[in-house]
Amino acid sequence: MSTSISSVNAGSTAASEAAVKKSTLSNETKSRLAELGIAYTEGMTEAEASAKIKEAEAHQGEQGQNQEENSSESDILSEAKSLAALMGVAVSSDDVDEILDDIGAELEVMLEEAEKNPANLSQLSSYLTQLTSLDERYDYLVTQQENLFAAMNMVSTNNKISLGLE
């Protein structure tokens, strides 16, 4: 009998410790939950709150990445012009492809000159990274536009067929 009483006491002690842990979230955790718009519940543990915070931060990171991927052509154009100005490339048109090609050509010239002066390689590497990012984003944008136009064309054709116009 004494074994069962001590195991009941141990169980009740563990339960009371868990209840104390559940009701005590740090002020920092509470404020972080509030910043992220997560409802704080009385029974929430520090681990549960931490998991919800990580999940919300990951979701925000995905949204930020999607916003970057969904850049408009004017955003990419302005970034390309800024990079061209930073590199000293004269830009005379508003054609993104042409600007990116001009930047790439100038970057090749700069890389050839950097063989004699390797101190500039880190700066040129930064330019190359920016150019690659702009090029990839612009290609993604063009592909998305082409897909949208193809889908719109298909809807148009389907509408004509369903109305007996074709």
Side-chain angles (χ1 to χ4, degrees), residues 127-153:
Y127 292 155
L128 180 62
T129 303
Q130 291 175 29
L131 176 62
T132 303
S133 172
L134 286 170
D135 194 40
E136 288 172 356
R137 288 172 42 210
Y138 185 67
D139 286 345
Y140 177 80
L141 177 70
V142 168
T143 302
Q144 292 301 330
Q145 287 175 341
E146 289 171 354
N147 290 342
L148 176 65
F149 293 143
M152 290 170 62
N153 193 21

Side-chain angles (χ1 to χ4, degrees), residues 21-154:
K21 287 181 184 176
K22 282 186 179 180
S23 63
T24 57
L25 283 181
S26 69
N27 289 333
E28 180 181 333
T29 302
K30 289 178 185 176
S31 67
R32 188 69 184 131
L33 287 170
E35 284 176 20
L36 294 170
I38 300 171
Y40 163 74
T41 58
E42 194 60 40
M44 188 180 288
T45 64
E46 216 36 72
E48 291 171 334
S50 177
K52 287 187 178 202
I53 289 171
K54 286 180 184 176
E55 182 180 322
E57 288 173 342
H59 183 67
Q60 282 181 341
E62 288 173 6
Q63 287 178 336
Q65 184 177 5
N66 288 340
Q67 287 173 350
E68 183 176 306
E69 289 175 358
N70 293 332
S71 298
S72 69
E73 187 170 356
S74 62
D75 292 341
I76 295 172
L77 176 64
S78 71
E79 289 180 43
K81 284 184 175 182
S82 296
L83 179 59
L86 185 63
M87 292 177 60
V89 176
V91 178
S92 60
S93 76
D94 284 342
D95 182 26
V96 176
D97 265 338
E98 189 177 314
I99 294 170
L100 293 177
D101 288 342
D102 291 346
I103 292 171
E106 179 64 25
L107 189 58
E108 285 180 21
V109 170
M110 294 170 105
L111 283 170
E112 288 175 8
E113 292 173 2
E115 289 177 357
K116 300 171 191 158
N117 185 6
N120 294 337
L121 286 178
S122 65
Q123 184 63 41
L124 295 177
S125 174
S126 171
Y127 292 155
L128 180 62
T129 303
Q130 291 175 29
L131 176 62
T132 303
S133 172
L134 286 170
D135 194 40
E136 288 172 356
R137 288 172 42 210
Y138 185 67
D139 286 345
Y140 177 80
L141 177 70
V142 168
T143 302
Q144 292 301 330
Q145 287 175 341
E146 289 171 354
N147 290 342
L148 176 65
F149 293 143
M152 290 170 62
N153 193 21
M154 185 184 300

